[in-house]
Amino acid sequence: MQTLTIAFVAGARPNFPKIAPMLAALRAYPQVTPLLVHTGQHYDPELSSMFFEDLGISEPDWMLGVGSGSHAQQTAAVMVEFERRCLEQTPDAIVVVGDVNSTVACALVGAKLHIPVVHVEAGLRSGDRTMPEEVNRLVTDTLADLLYTHCYEGDDNLRAEGVADERIHMVGNVMIDSLMKVRDRAEAPDLDPEWIIERGFGLITLHRPALVDNEASLRPILAALGRISESIPLIYPVHPRTLARMKSFGILEEDAEPPLALPGTRVLLTAPIRYLQFLWLMDRARLVVTDSGGIQEETTVLGVPCLTVRENTERAVTCREGTNRLLGVDPAVVEAAAAEVLRAPMPDLDQVPPLWDGNAGERIAEHLVGWLNAKKEAPAG
Ligand code: UD1
């Protein structure tokens, strides 16, 4: 039997629930040594180490510690440090997930060092190259040797770009594996109980640069949230980037510290919330308003109405086969859609996309080990 060392790269908050199920599934393969790489793109405990605790992931083997910076600085810093480590100890494969800067940086290093690169959550396309994540997806998919998709649309997108069928494998959604595994262990966050009545609150996550970095788009959307909160209280865990913008635009005082209500509203701004507690909130919310990628998928599986405040989505499958509605960024449209959701009964949880069943990690582990063994046994040249 061949021994295999496989590097798993995680850098930012949404990556951790994606790698955990693969690491767990690989315990059934004693010939495989997983090498956990944390790039340090996210470093605040609520965005990083607490996810490790909640998902039962062990300490990283390689901690690259790159931190924040411009896109070029951050991507380059990950590349330099990851390349250095790979030259010291060369893994048999590099598995990258999602679409963050750490994903593309490590895919580039692997491709240049001729280490097989595997992309999990491949083939998603928003068609919007002004989104940094779209650029990261395009480059990563071009470089990866193996492309694990989570919906058939991902396969279609890749084929349309000329990717050969043998590189594409639809395996289902690893992030949903994590959700299903920890749903029963989810716990209430430490917030005033009067805010968190079951189905009696809305949950907000808005953090994309296109929305929050611009006062002209952030102020009107916050005003719309304020008006929605006249009907239902809203809980808004705020990403550090968004908090900084709220302060610099004078929406919050310089020394404001969450939790606090957005002035004049029933919108409760909180610090970022760890995975187990965020899941608890999502599972009990009456509606979710978001610009995140993963949350569009999680709400679909939980059967919670999701209003996506973006002009496009790479996850159209959640609109067709789930609870998501793509609204655009007009605050009046968001307000009207929220009112409509609040008038309607909770949707029936009657469908989720194929293979979003909690077993994607196992499918990947089995396929990947077979693929790498075959590669090692194949005659060179
Ligand atoms: C990144 C991902 C985005 C994902 C998001 C999830 C890219 C291009 N973007 O965006 O796709 O939806 O993570 O959370 O990779 N900061 C902290 N503490 C941290 C990390 C960041 O305060 O632990 C602040 C810093 O001011 C930093 C800013 O947040 O400059 C942005 O962080 P960055 O990692 O560049 O991107 P995100 O906005 O977090």
Side-chain angles (χ1 to χ4, degrees), residues 93-231:
I94 296 167
V95 177
V96 295
V97 299
D99 55 18
V100 301
N101 287 343
S102 301
T103 308
V104 69
C106 294
L108 270 161
V109 169
K112 301 247 174 154
L113 293 179
H114 309 162
I115 303 169
V117 174
V118 179
H119 187 205
V120 174
E121 203 185 87
L124 297 186
R125 297 289 181 268
S126 66
D128 175 4
R129 290 197 188 189
T130 65
M131 270 181 89
E133 292 81 1
E134 182 75 352
V135 177
N136 294 345
R137 290 181 203 114
L138 284 161
V139 176
T140 305
D141 284 343
T142 300
L143 298 176
D145 299 275
L146 260 188
L147 297 158
Y148 290 127
T149 58
H150 79 11
C151 59
Y152 290 112
E153 193 178 339
D155 299 22
D156 295 342
N157 291 338
L158 292 168
R159 284 197 201 100
E161 290 170 13
V163 177
D165 274 343
E166 55 268 25
R167 281 170 62 204
I168 309 171
H169 301 271
M170 212 298 247
V171 290
N173 192 330
V174 275
M175 207 178 53
I176 300 307
D177 289 12
S178 282
L179 180 150
M180 288 182 175
K181 192 164 165 205
V182 309
R183 190 175 181 183
D184 293 342
R185 285 195 285 123
E187 55 184 52
D190 186 18
L191 296 174
D192 187 338
E194 86 180 38
W195 286 86
I196 47 180
I197 303 153
E198 184 134 350
R199 304 285 174 231
F201 65 90
L203 184 61
I204 314 296
T205 77
L206 298 170
H207 72 283
R208 292 224 176 254
L211 194 68
V212 306
D213 281 3
N214 200 328
E215 188 172 1
S217 54
L218 183 59
R219 272 191 187 275
I221 199 76
L222 292 178
L225 294 180
R227 288 190 295 275
I228 297 169
S229 79
E230 289 166 16
S231 307

Side-chain angles (χ1 to χ4, degrees), residues 13 41-44 68 74 100-101 133 207 239-241:
R13 173 169 62 176
Q41 176 173 346
H42 282 177
Y43 42 83
D44 283 352
S68 302
Q74 191 173 56
V100 301
N101 287 343
E133 292 81 1
H207 72 283
H239 186 290
R241 144 182 236 121

Side-chain angles (χ1 to χ4, degrees), residues 18 36 59 79 83 87 99 102 107 115 154 170 202 207 216 339-340:
K18 294 175 192 168
L36 178 53
E59 290 286 302
M79 287 184 71
E83 182 190 57
L87 289 171
D99 55 18
S102 301
I115 303 169
M170 212 298 247
H207 72 283
E340 202 180 300

Side-chain angles (χ1 to χ4, degrees), residues 227-256:
R227 288 190 295 275
I228 297 169
S229 79
E230 289 166 16
S231 307
I232 187 167
L234 300 177
I235 299 173
Y236 183 174
V238 183
H239 186 290
R241 144 182 236 121
T242 318
L243 186 67
R245 295 297 175 274
M246 286 179 179
K247 290 180 180 181
S248 66
F249 299 151
I251 296 165
L252 294 179
E253 301 287 337
E254 248 335 290
D255 57 356

